[in-house]
mmCIF file of all heavy atoms in Angstrom:
data_model
loop_
_atom_site.group_PDB
_atom_site.id
_atom_site.type_symbol
_atom_site.label_atom_id
_atom_site.label_comp_id
_atom_site.label_asym_id
_atom_site.label_seq_id
_atom_site.Cartn_x
_atom_site.Cartn_y
_atom_site.Cartn_z
ATOM 1 N N MET A 1192 0.808 -1.163 0.050
ATOM 2 C CA MET A 1192 -0.023 -0.021 0.042
ATOM 3 C C MET A 1192 0.883 1.261 0.006
ATOM 4 O O MET A 1192 0.493 2.249 -0.576
ATOM 5 C CB MET A 1192 -0.920 -0.035 1.161
ATOM 6 C CG MET A 1192 -1.955 -1.118 0.977
ATOM 7 S SD MET A 1192 -3.137 -1.484 2.348
ATOM 8 C CE MET A 1192 -2.952 -0.375 3.615
ATOM 9 N N ASN A 1193 2.077 1.151 0.617
ATOM 10 C CA ASN A 1193 2.919 2.295 0.606
ATOM 11 C C ASN A 1193 3.466 2.572 -0.782
ATOM 12 O O ASN A 1193 3.894 3.624 -1.038
ATOM 13 C CB ASN A 1193 4.068 2.057 1.563
ATOM 14 C CG ASN A 1193 3.765 2.149 3.038
ATOM 15 O OD1 ASN A 1193 2.683 2.789 3.354
ATOM 16 N ND2 ASN A 1193 4.516 1.584 3.866
ATOM 17 N N GLU A 1194 3.412 1.519 -1.607
ATOM 18 C CA GLU A 1194 3.967 1.664 -3.004
ATOM 19 C C GLU A 1194 2.839 1.871 -3.969
ATOM 20 O O GLU A 1194 3.067 1.802 -5.149
ATOM 21 C CB GLU A 1194 4.803 0.461 -3.296
ATOM 22 C CG GLU A 1194 6.022 0.294 -2.511
ATOM 23 C CD GLU A 1194 6.798 -0.906 -2.832
ATOM 24 O OE1 GLU A 1194 6.631 -1.577 -3.804
ATOM 25 O OE2 GLU A 1194 7.676 -1.241 -2.031
ATOM 26 N N GLY A 1195 1.596 2.183 -3.524
ATOM 27 C CA GLY A 1195 0.558 2.538 -4.373
ATOM 28 C C GLY A 1195 -0.522 1.457 -4.601
ATOM 29 O O GLY A 1195 -1.471 1.696 -5.390
ATOM 30 N N ALA A 1196 -0.390 0.308 -4.032
ATOM 31 C CA ALA A 1196 -1.425 -0.716 -4.221
ATOM 32 C C ALA A 1196 -2.718 -0.238 -3.550
ATOM 33 O O ALA A 1196 -2.738 0.200 -2.418
ATOM 34 C CB ALA A 1196 -0.958 -2.034 -3.652
ATOM 35 N N CYS A 1197 -3.833 -0.262 -4.300
ATOM 36 C CA CYS A 1197 -5.090 0.234 -3.794
ATOM 37 C C CYS A 1197 -6.142 -0.784 -3.755
ATOM 38 O O CYS A 1197 -7.230 -0.497 -3.226
ATOM 39 C CB CYS A 1197 -5.608 1.393 -4.694
ATOM 40 S SG CYS A 1197 -4.448 2.833 -4.796
ATOM 41 N N SER A 1198 -5.911 -1.965 -4.210
ATOM 42 C CA SER A 1198 -6.957 -2.986 -4.124
ATOM 43 C C SER A 1198 -6.399 -4.314 -3.613
ATOM 44 O O SER A 1198 -5.196 -4.484 -3.535
ATOM 45 C CB SER A 1198 -7.480 -3.243 -5.653
ATOM 46 O OG SER A 1198 -6.489 -3.943 -6.391
ATOM 47 N N VAL A 1199 -7.247 -5.237 -3.317
ATOM 48 C CA VAL A 1199 -6.840 -6.491 -2.776
ATOM 49 C C VAL A 1199 -5.924 -7.217 -3.818
ATOM 50 O O VAL A 1199 -4.844 -7.735 -3.495
ATOM 51 C CB VAL A 1199 -8.015 -7.403 -2.450
ATOM 52 C CG1 VAL A 1199 -7.588 -8.773 -2.009
ATOM 53 C CG2 VAL A 1199 -8.839 -6.810 -1.335
ATOM 54 N N ALA A 1200 -6.401 -7.175 -5.030
ATOM 55 C CA ALA A 1200 -5.565 -7.907 -6.126
ATOM 56 C C ALA A 1200 -4.221 -7.234 -6.317
ATOM 57 O O ALA A 1200 -3.251 -7.963 -6.520
ATOM 58 C CB ALA A 1200 -6.352 -7.810 -7.486
ATOM 59 N N GLU A 1201 -4.146 -5.943 -6.210
ATOM 60 C CA GLU A 1201 -2.828 -5.238 -6.346
ATOM 61 C C GLU A 1201 -1.897 -5.621 -5.182
ATOM 62 O O GLU A 1201 -0.698 -5.884 -5.386
ATOM 63 C CB GLU A 1201 -2.996 -3.768 -6.404
ATOM 64 C CG GLU A 1201 -3.554 -3.256 -7.731
ATOM 65 C CD GLU A 1201 -3.894 -1.785 -7.656
ATOM 66 O OE1 GLU A 1201 -3.894 -1.175 -6.672
ATOM 67 O OE2 GLU A 1201 -4.130 -1.288 -8.808
ATOM 68 N N VAL A 1202 -2.386 -5.662 -3.970
ATOM 69 C CA VAL A 1202 -1.596 -6.061 -2.778
ATOM 70 C C VAL A 1202 -1.183 -7.489 -2.917
ATOM 71 O O VAL A 1202 0.035 -7.812 -2.683
ATOM 72 C CB VAL A 1202 -2.391 -5.890 -1.469
ATOM 73 C CG1 VAL A 1202 -1.627 -6.452 -0.292
ATOM 74 C CG2 VAL A 1202 -2.705 -4.391 -1.224
ATOM 75 N N MET A 1203 -2.015 -8.312 -3.403
ATOM 76 C CA MET A 1203 -1.662 -9.807 -3.597
ATOM 77 C C MET A 1203 -0.573 -9.878 -4.663
ATOM 78 O O MET A 1203 0.358 -10.664 -4.427
ATOM 79 C CB MET A 1203 -2.942 -10.586 -4.032
ATOM 80 C CG MET A 1203 -3.913 -10.701 -2.873
ATOM 81 S SD MET A 1203 -5.515 -11.466 -3.382
ATOM 82 C CE MET A 1203 -4.967 -13.094 -3.938
ATOM 83 N N GLU A 1204 -0.729 -9.135 -5.730
ATOM 84 C CA GLU A 1204 0.255 -9.232 -6.764
ATOM 85 C C GLU A 1204 1.683 -8.656 -6.292
ATOM 86 O O GLU A 1204 2.639 -9.288 -6.598
ATOM 87 C CB GLU A 1204 -0.196 -8.364 -8.000
ATOM 88 C CG GLU A 1204 0.785 -8.341 -9.162
ATOM 89 C CD GLU A 1204 0.938 -9.777 -9.835
ATOM 90 O OE1 GLU A 1204 0.004 -10.541 -9.798
ATOM 91 O OE2 GLU A 1204 2.018 -9.936 -10.369
ATOM 92 N N CYS A 1205 1.673 -7.602 -5.564
ATOM 93 C CA CYS A 1205 2.907 -7.011 -5.153
ATOM 94 C C CYS A 1205 3.580 -7.786 -4.044
ATOM 95 O O CYS A 1205 4.856 -7.787 -3.974
ATOM 96 C CB CYS A 1205 2.623 -5.603 -4.634
ATOM 97 S SG CYS A 1205 2.174 -4.388 -5.921
ATOM 98 N N THR A 1206 2.854 -8.364 -3.145
ATOM 99 C CA THR A 1206 3.408 -9.006 -1.919
ATOM 100 C C THR A 1206 3.355 -10.498 -1.867
ATOM 101 O O THR A 1206 4.042 -11.086 -1.104
ATOM 102 C CB THR A 1206 2.707 -8.442 -0.685
ATOM 103 O OG1 THR A 1206 1.370 -8.861 -0.701
ATOM 104 C CG2 THR A 1206 2.785 -6.950 -0.559
ATOM 105 N N GLY A 1207 2.431 -11.088 -2.652
ATOM 106 C CA GLY A 1207 2.148 -12.534 -2.603
ATOM 107 C C GLY A 1207 1.208 -12.879 -1.389
ATOM 108 O O GLY A 1207 0.844 -13.997 -1.276
ATOM 109 N N ALA A 1208 0.852 -11.892 -0.568
ATOM 110 C CA ALA A 1208 -0.107 -12.164 0.483
ATOM 111 C C ALA A 1208 -1.451 -12.567 -0.010
ATOM 112 O O ALA A 1208 -1.899 -12.012 -1.102
ATOM 113 C CB ALA A 1208 -0.297 -10.900 1.307
ATOM 114 N N GLY A 1209 -2.054 -13.549 0.572
ATOM 115 C CA GLY A 1209 -3.347 -14.074 0.079
ATOM 116 C C GLY A 1209 -3.380 -14.921 -1.061
ATOM 117 O O GLY A 1209 -4.350 -15.349 -1.554
ATOM 118 N N THR A 1210 -2.152 -15.300 -1.544
ATOM 119 C CA THR A 1210 -2.062 -16.151 -2.734
ATOM 120 C C THR A 1210 -1.951 -17.677 -2.446
ATOM 121 O O THR A 1210 -2.008 -18.468 -3.385
ATOM 122 C CB THR A 1210 -0.912 -15.731 -3.618
ATOM 123 O OG1 THR A 1210 0.287 -15.893 -2.956
ATOM 124 C CG2 THR A 1210 -1.088 -14.248 -4.089
ATOM 125 N N ARG A 1211 -1.755 -18.042 -1.283
ATOM 126 C CA ARG A 1211 -1.689 -19.413 -0.909
ATOM 127 C C ARG A 1211 -3.073 -19.910 -0.546
ATOM 128 O O ARG A 1211 -3.854 -20.306 -1.278
ATOM 129 C CB ARG A 1211 -0.703 -19.631 0.231
ATOM 130 C CG ARG A 1211 0.704 -19.307 -0.074
ATOM 131 C CD ARG A 1211 1.335 -20.621 -0.447
ATOM 132 N NE ARG A 1211 2.759 -20.404 -0.673
ATOM 133 C CZ ARG A 1211 3.446 -21.257 -1.296
ATOM 134 N NH1 ARG A 1211 2.979 -22.344 -1.699
ATOM 135 N NH2 ARG A 1211 4.715 -20.974 -1.533
ATOM 136 N N CYS A 1212 -3.419 -19.903 0.784
ATOM 137 C CA CYS A 1212 -4.657 -20.453 1.200
ATOM 138 C C CYS A 1212 -5.836 -19.394 1.106
ATOM 139 O O CYS A 1212 -6.961 -19.759 1.051
ATOM 140 C CB CYS A 1212 -4.598 -20.926 2.602
ATOM 141 S SG CYS A 1212 -4.452 -19.716 3.892
ATOM 142 N N GLY A 1213 -5.439 -18.117 1.060
ATOM 143 C CA GLY A 1213 -6.407 -17.092 0.976
ATOM 144 C C GLY A 1213 -7.093 -16.631 2.230
ATOM 145 O O GLY A 1213 -7.945 -15.709 2.223
ATOM 146 N N SER A 1214 -6.647 -17.234 3.383
ATOM 147 C CA SER A 1214 -7.315 -16.843 4.638
ATOM 148 C C SER A 1214 -7.097 -15.373 5.138
ATOM 149 O O SER A 1214 -7.809 -14.903 5.899
ATOM 150 C CB SER A 1214 -6.931 -17.856 5.758
ATOM 151 O OG SER A 1214 -5.538 -17.618 6.035
ATOM 152 N N CYS A 1215 -6.061 -14.763 4.587
ATOM 153 C CA CYS A 1215 -5.774 -13.404 4.982
ATOM 154 C C CYS A 1215 -6.424 -12.424 4.030
ATOM 155 O O CYS A 1215 -6.349 -11.189 4.163
ATOM 156 C CB CYS A 1215 -4.313 -13.136 5.001
ATOM 157 S SG CYS A 1215 -3.394 -13.342 3.487
ATOM 158 N N GLN A 1216 -7.050 -12.816 2.990
ATOM 159 C CA GLN A 1216 -7.721 -11.885 2.050
ATOM 160 C C GLN A 1216 -8.682 -10.953 2.690
ATOM 161 O O GLN A 1216 -8.745 -9.755 2.381
ATOM 162 C CB GLN A 1216 -8.321 -12.636 0.869
ATOM 163 C CG GLN A 1216 -7.341 -13.209 -0.121
ATOM 164 C CD GLN A 1216 -7.928 -13.851 -1.269
ATOM 165 O OE1 GLN A 1216 -9.143 -13.726 -1.586
ATOM 166 N NE2 GLN A 1216 -7.165 -14.620 -1.999
ATOM 167 N N PRO A 1217 -9.533 -11.419 3.661
ATOM 168 C CA PRO A 1217 -10.456 -10.444 4.340
ATOM 169 C C PRO A 1217 -9.680 -9.356 5.049
ATOM 170 O O PRO A 1217 -10.060 -8.217 5.086
ATOM 171 C CB PRO A 1217 -11.230 -11.312 5.289
ATOM 172 C CG PRO A 1217 -11.224 -12.685 4.656
ATOM 173 C CD PRO A 1217 -9.822 -12.828 4.046
ATOM 174 N N THR A 1218 -8.595 -9.694 5.687
ATOM 175 C CA THR A 1218 -7.779 -8.700 6.339
ATOM 176 C C THR A 1218 -7.128 -7.734 5.324
ATOM 177 O O THR A 1218 -7.146 -6.455 5.626
ATOM 178 C CB THR A 1218 -6.572 -9.350 7.169
ATOM 179 O OG1 THR A 1218 -7.156 -10.267 8.074
ATOM 180 C CG2 THR A 1218 -5.747 -8.355 7.865
ATOM 181 N N ILE A 1219 -6.690 -8.271 4.181
ATOM 182 C CA ILE A 1219 -6.194 -7.306 3.190
ATOM 183 C C ILE A 1219 -7.294 -6.392 2.680
ATOM 184 O O ILE A 1219 -7.057 -5.191 2.534
ATOM 185 C CB ILE A 1219 -5.614 -8.138 1.979
ATOM 186 C CG1 ILE A 1219 -4.402 -8.967 2.424
ATOM 187 C CG2 ILE A 1219 -5.207 -7.225 0.792
ATOM 188 C CD1 ILE A 1219 -3.977 -10.007 1.376
ATOM 189 N N ALA A 1220 -8.450 -6.962 2.522
ATOM 190 C CA ALA A 1220 -9.646 -6.093 2.064
ATOM 191 C C ALA A 1220 -9.889 -4.992 3.101
ATOM 192 O O ALA A 1220 -10.180 -3.878 2.739
ATOM 193 C CB ALA A 1220 -10.863 -6.974 1.908
ATOM 194 N N LYS A 1221 -9.832 -5.251 4.401
ATOM 195 C CA LYS A 1221 -10.081 -4.299 5.415
ATOM 196 C C LYS A 1221 -9.018 -3.182 5.317
ATOM 197 O O LYS A 1221 -9.247 -1.950 5.482
ATOM 198 C CB LYS A 1221 -10.057 -4.869 6.779
ATOM 199 C CG LYS A 1221 -11.357 -5.672 7.101
ATOM 200 C CD LYS A 1221 -11.295 -6.253 8.450
ATOM 201 C CE LYS A 1221 -12.492 -7.117 8.691
ATOM 202 N NZ LYS A 1221 -12.480 -7.767 10.010
ATOM 203 N N LEU A 1222 -7.724 -3.629 5.070
ATOM 204 C CA LEU A 1222 -6.639 -2.696 5.054
ATOM 205 C C LEU A 1222 -6.733 -1.701 3.903
ATOM 206 O O LEU A 1222 -6.353 -0.487 4.013
ATOM 207 C CB LEU A 1222 -5.243 -3.398 4.983
ATOM 208 C CG LEU A 1222 -4.800 -4.131 6.241
ATOM 209 C CD1 LEU A 1222 -3.631 -4.980 5.949
ATOM 210 C CD2 LEU A 1222 -4.614 -3.198 7.389
ATOM 211 N N VAL A 1223 -7.204 -2.208 2.737
ATOM 212 C CA VAL A 1223 -7.336 -1.304 1.614
ATOM 213 C C VAL A 1223 -8.695 -0.650 1.493
ATOM 214 O O VAL A 1223 -8.977 0.065 0.680
ATOM 215 C CB VAL A 1223 -7.020 -2.029 0.239
ATOM 216 C CG1 VAL A 1223 -5.580 -2.555 0.296
ATOM 217 C CG2 VAL A 1223 -7.993 -3.145 -0.013
ATOM 218 N N GLY A 1224 -9.584 -0.941 2.436
ATOM 219 C CA GLY A 1224 -10.902 -0.380 2.433
ATOM 220 C C GLY A 1224 -11.892 -0.979 1.449
ATOM 221 O O GLY A 1224 -12.885 -0.354 1.121
ATOM 222 N N ALA A 1225 -11.586 -2.210 0.997
ATOM 223 C CA ALA A 1225 -12.507 -2.891 0.052
ATOM 224 C C ALA A 1225 -13.560 -3.618 0.863
ATOM 225 O O ALA A 1225 -13.350 -4.065 2.027
ATOM 226 C CB ALA A 1225 -11.778 -3.873 -0.828
ATOM 227 N N GLY A 1226 -14.702 -3.804 0.273
ATOM 228 C CA GLY A 1226 -15.767 -4.513 0.971
ATOM 229 C C GLY A 1226 -15.562 -5.993 1.101
ATOM 230 O O GLY A 1226 -15.564 -6.550 2.200
ATOM 231 N N GLU A 1227 -15.210 -6.636 0.069
ATOM 232 C CA GLU A 1227 -14.969 -8.085 0.058
ATOM 233 C C GLU A 1227 -13.679 -8.404 -0.735
ATOM 234 O O GLU A 1227 -13.366 -7.664 -1.697
ATOM 235 C CB GLU A 1227 -16.161 -8.797 -0.633
ATOM 236 C CG GLU A 1227 -17.454 -8.790 0.148
ATOM 237 C CD GLU A 1227 -17.336 -9.528 1.434
ATOM 238 O OE1 GLU A 1227 -16.718 -10.645 1.461
ATOM 239 O OE2 GLU A 1227 -17.918 -9.106 2.514
ATOM 240 N N PRO A 1228 -13.010 -9.460 -0.375
ATOM 241 C CA PRO A 1228 -11.886 -9.879 -1.194
ATOM 242 C C PRO A 1228 -12.226 -10.272 -2.512
ATOM 243 O O PRO A 1228 -13.422 -10.711 -2.845
ATOM 244 C CB PRO A 1228 -11.297 -11.118 -0.438
ATOM 245 C CG PRO A 1228 -12.132 -11.240 0.785
ATOM 246 C CD PRO A 1228 -13.308 -10.289 0.739
ATOM 247 N N VAL A 1229 -11.432 -9.997 -3.481
ATOM 248 C CA VAL A 1229 -11.618 -10.388 -4.913
ATOM 249 C C VAL A 1229 -10.887 -11.671 -5.247
ATOM 250 O O VAL A 1229 -9.887 -11.961 -4.742
ATOM 251 C CB VAL A 1229 -11.258 -9.273 -5.888
ATOM 252 C CG1 VAL A 1229 -12.089 -8.043 -5.569
ATOM 253 C CG2 VAL A 1229 -9.742 -9.012 -5.733
ATOM 254 N N ALA A 1230 -11.497 -12.432 -6.097
ATOM 255 C CA ALA A 1230 -10.842 -13.612 -6.574
ATOM 256 C C ALA A 1230 -9.684 -13.280 -7.482
ATOM 257 O O ALA A 1230 -9.765 -12.497 -8.433
ATOM 258 C CB ALA A 1230 -11.803 -14.567 -7.314
ATOM 259 N N ALA A 1231 -8.480 -13.708 -7.154
ATOM 260 C CA ALA A 1231 -7.303 -13.458 -7.982
ATOM 261 C C ALA A 1231 -6.643 -14.810 -8.184
ATOM 262 O O ALA A 1231 -6.779 -15.740 -7.386
ATOM 263 C CB ALA A 1231 -6.442 -12.474 -7.260
ATOM 264 N N PRO A 1232 -5.890 -14.916 -9.297
ATOM 265 C CA PRO A 1232 -5.208 -16.196 -9.460
ATOM 266 C C PRO A 1232 -4.289 -16.496 -8.318
ATOM 267 O O PRO A 1232 -3.500 -15.576 -7.854
ATOM 268 C CB PRO A 1232 -4.361 -15.936 -10.780
ATOM 269 C CG PRO A 1232 -4.941 -14.696 -11.367
ATOM 270 C CD PRO A 1232 -5.678 -13.915 -10.249
ATOM 271 N N ARG A 1233 -4.307 -17.727 -7.892
ATOM 272 C CA ARG A 1233 -3.473 -18.206 -6.786
ATOM 273 C C ARG A 1233 -2.176 -18.550 -7.379
ATOM 274 O O ARG A 1233 -2.061 -19.159 -8.428
ATOM 275 C CB ARG A 1233 -4.059 -19.253 -6.014
ATOM 276 C CG ARG A 1233 -5.287 -18.873 -5.243
ATOM 277 C CD ARG A 1233 -5.990 -19.928 -4.570
ATOM 278 N NE ARG A 1233 -5.098 -20.765 -3.845
ATOM 279 C CZ ARG A 1233 -5.490 -21.792 -3.063
ATOM 280 N NH1 ARG A 1233 -6.733 -22.099 -3.005
ATOM 281 N NH2 ARG A 1233 -4.588 -22.512 -2.424
ATOM 282 N N ARG A 1234 -1.078 -18.173 -6.690
ATOM 283 C CA ARG A 1234 0.313 -18.578 -7.106
ATOM 284 C C ARG A 1234 0.643 -19.738 -6.304
ATOM 285 O O ARG A 1234 0.759 -19.795 -5.081
ATOM 286 C CB ARG A 1234 1.192 -17.432 -6.703
ATOM 287 C CG ARG A 1234 2.510 -17.511 -7.364
ATOM 288 C CD ARG A 1234 3.408 -16.332 -7.033
ATOM 289 N NE ARG A 1234 2.652 -15.130 -6.970
ATOM 290 C CZ ARG A 1234 3.108 -13.940 -6.455
ATOM 291 N NH1 ARG A 1234 4.290 -13.935 -5.895
ATOM 292 N NH2 ARG A 1234 2.381 -12.861 -6.419
ATOM 293 N N LEU A 1235 0.894 -20.854 -7.001
ATOM 294 C CA LEU A 1235 1.265 -22.137 -6.286
ATOM 295 C C LEU A 1235 2.727 -22.395 -6.635
ATOM 296 O O LEU A 1235 3.219 -22.216 -7.689
ATOM 297 C CB LEU A 1235 0.394 -23.291 -6.876
ATOM 298 C CG LEU A 1235 -1.168 -23.095 -6.620
ATOM 299 C CD1 LEU A 1235 -1.851 -24.264 -7.352
ATOM 300 C CD2 LEU A 1235 -1.466 -23.017 -5.180
ATOM 301 N N THR A 1236 3.364 -22.969 -5.628
ATOM 302 C CA THR A 1236 4.759 -23.408 -5.768
ATOM 303 C C THR A 1236 4.786 -24.913 -5.831
ATOM 304 O O THR A 1236 4.280 -25.594 -4.993
ATOM 305 C CB THR A 1236 5.577 -22.876 -4.582
ATOM 306 O OG1 THR A 1236 5.406 -21.536 -4.373
ATOM 307 C CG2 THR A 1236 7.029 -23.250 -4.705
ATOM 308 N N MET A 1237 5.452 -25.416 -6.834
ATOM 309 C CA MET A 1237 5.599 -26.830 -7.008
ATOM 310 C C MET A 1237 6.789 -27.383 -6.277
ATOM 311 O O MET A 1237 7.870 -26.775 -6.374
ATOM 312 C CB MET A 1237 5.630 -27.158 -8.551
ATOM 313 C CG MET A 1237 4.543 -26.661 -9.389
ATOM 314 S SD MET A 1237 2.962 -27.466 -8.925
ATOM 315 C CE MET A 1237 3.211 -29.021 -9.653
ATOM 316 N N ALA A 1238 6.588 -28.442 -5.629
ATOM 317 C CA ALA A 1238 7.731 -29.105 -4.933
ATOM 318 C C ALA A 1238 8.508 -29.987 -5.904
ATOM 319 O O ALA A 1238 7.917 -30.552 -6.772
ATOM 320 C CB ALA A 1238 7.158 -29.956 -3.740
ATOM 321 N N PRO A 1239 9.839 -29.982 -5.776
ATOM 322 C CA PRO A 1239 10.623 -30.863 -6.671
ATOM 323 C C PRO A 1239 10.266 -32.265 -6.471
ATOM 324 O O PRO A 1239 10.025 -32.758 -5.331
ATOM 325 C CB PRO A 1239 12.069 -30.545 -6.270
ATOM 326 C CG PRO A 1239 11.996 -29.702 -5.060
ATOM 327 C CD PRO A 1239 10.645 -29.256 -4.785
ATOM 328 N N VAL A 1240 10.247 -33.042 -7.553
ATOM 329 C CA VAL A 1240 9.898 -34.472 -7.468
ATOM 330 C C VAL A 1240 11.157 -35.172 -7.937
ATOM 331 O O VAL A 1240 11.738 -34.874 -9.059
ATOM 332 C CB VAL A 1240 8.750 -34.800 -8.381
ATOM 333 C CG1 VAL A 1240 8.474 -36.292 -8.452
ATOM 334 C CG2 VAL A 1240 7.508 -33.962 -8.023
ATOM 335 N N SER A 1241 11.570 -36.129 -7.168
ATOM 336 C CA SER A 1241 12.777 -36.975 -7.555
ATOM 337 C C SER A 1241 12.314 -38.094 -8.393
ATOM 338 O O SER A 1241 11.383 -38.756 -8.143
ATOM 339 C CB SER A 1241 13.373 -37.461 -6.273
ATOM 340 O OG SER A 1241 14.434 -38.296 -6.596
ATOM 341 N N SER A 1242 13.081 -38.335 -9.438
ATOM 342 C CA SER A 1242 12.789 -39.451 -10.364
ATOM 343 C C SER A 1242 13.501 -40.788 -9.890
ATOM 344 O O SER A 1242 13.238 -41.811 -10.424
ATOM 345 C CB SER A 1242 13.151 -39.131 -11.766
ATOM 346 O OG SER A 1242 14.598 -38.850 -11.828
ATOM 347 N N ALA A 1243 14.311 -40.649 -8.919
ATOM 348 C CA ALA A 1243 15.102 -41.833 -8.354
ATOM 349 C C ALA A 1243 14.151 -42.576 -7.396
ATOM 350 O O ALA A 1243 13.523 -42.012 -6.549
ATOM 351 C CB ALA A 1243 16.348 -41.420 -7.694
ATOM 352 N N ALA A 1244 14.002 -43.857 -7.603
ATOM 353 C CA ALA A 1244 13.182 -44.649 -6.715
ATOM 354 C C ALA A 1244 13.873 -45.351 -5.662
ATOM 355 O O ALA A 1244 14.940 -45.722 -5.518
ATOM 356 C CB ALA A 1244 12.362 -45.634 -7.639
#
């Protein structure tokens, strides 16, 4: 928000907050003054998979 993010989606994009489980999206919405969190693409991190058995 200090860098100009004005919406939940912008805060999520800039910080990664709310992109995992989404449980903090209502808090982000309160911080930016939005009524409800918005659906935004979730950023998932893939764990490495070993091919050795």
Side-chain angles (χ1 to χ4, degrees):
M1192 293 174 5
N1193 287 339
E1194 295 179 14
C1197 299
S1198 70
V1199 175
E1201 289 174 346
V1202 172
M1203 291 171 64
E1204 179 67 27
C1205 292
T1206 67
T1210 61
R1211 292 265 186 195
C1212 72
S1214 65
C1215 63
Q1216 288 183 14
T1218 302
I1219 298 168
K1221 286 180 185 177
L1222 290 171
V1223 298
E1227 291 292 324
V1229 296
R1233 289 177 49 178
R1234 195 178 322 165
L1235 301 176
T1236 303
M1237 302 296 286
V1240 177
S1241 174
S1242 60

